[in-house]
Amino acid sequence: VDTDQFACQTPLEEREQVVGYLGRIDEEKGIRRLAAIAKILPENITFRFIGDGDLLPWLQKELSEEVATNHVELAGWVNHEEVPVELNRLQLLVMPSSPTEGLPTTILEALACGTPVYATPVSGIPDVVRAGETGFFIEGTDPEEHCEDIIAILDRKDLINISTNCRELIESEYDFEAATARYETILTSLVD
């Protein structure tokens, strides 16, 4: 991850109460469940969808009332250069990944921006989303439970510390220099 491009430009405590999703707006990404969550979040929390895909027309229709009242925002597709700006607007990235996904780059980019992640613990996600340290795990499929979790996460007194942990993890293990050092160690061990 390019830690210069994906920097924590806005400290978590200065961000508005916006949670969101960034990625393809498609069936396999859990968009229908996210829409159900967005509908029942309290009015003081905005859900922002960032991306484009086959389900975008459905999402626009399904959440038209919430969009009209600014309870939900549909940003649509953004250029990759705008991704850090979008991730720096969120207090929490919500990623209900399916078991077929590996480790979504969006999660690494969010962590680099100091944005904690609430994600399904599948594939490589638990390697970086560490419960209570850099993020939180989505358990089950009930939107009401997810809504309760989101409210509880945003109310945590240690959320700023978790944001700091996110950035530190990426800097220590996933930026270019850290990756280079890891590969050097592996290659050196093969030669010896």
Side-chain angles (χ1 to χ4, degrees), residues 95-152:
M95 295 288 291
S97 299
S98 65
T100 58
E101 287 196 87
L103 174 58
T105 304
T106 302
I107 289 178
L108 295 173
E109 293 169 342
L111 296 175
C113 292
T115 304
V117 177
Y118 178 52
T120 312
V122 297
S123 303
I125 292 173
D127 293 338
V128 294
V129 177
R130 299 170 183 168
E133 188 180 324
T134 59
F136 310 90
F137 292 134
I138 295 174
E139 303 291 346
T141 58
D142 181 10
E144 296 217 5
E145 287 180 20
H146 301 335
C147 181
E148 289 171 14
D149 287 348
I150 290 168
I151 294 166

Side-chain angles (χ1 to χ4, degrees), residues 112-187:
C113 292
T115 304
V117 177
Y118 178 52
T120 312
V122 297
S123 303
I125 292 173
D127 293 338
V128 294
V129 177
R130 299 170 183 168
E133 188 180 324
T134 59
F136 310 90
F137 292 134
I138 295 174
E139 303 291 346
T141 58
D142 181 10
E144 296 217 5
E145 287 180 20
H146 301 335
C147 181
E148 289 171 14
D149 287 348
I150 290 168
I151 294 166
I153 290 166
L154 295 181
D155 284 343
R156 287 179 66 117
K157 301 217 180 308
D158 64 344
L159 198 59
I160 294 168
N161 293 337
I162 291 170
S163 172
T164 302
N165 294 342
C166 294
R167 178 71 182 176
E168 288 174 356
L169 172 70
I170 297 303
E171 287 176 342
S172 67
E173 296 183 32
Y174 292 93
D175 78 348
F176 184 76
E177 288 80 20
T180 302
R182 210 169 32 252
Y183 282 117
E184 279 180 15
T185 302
I186 292 168
L187 293 173

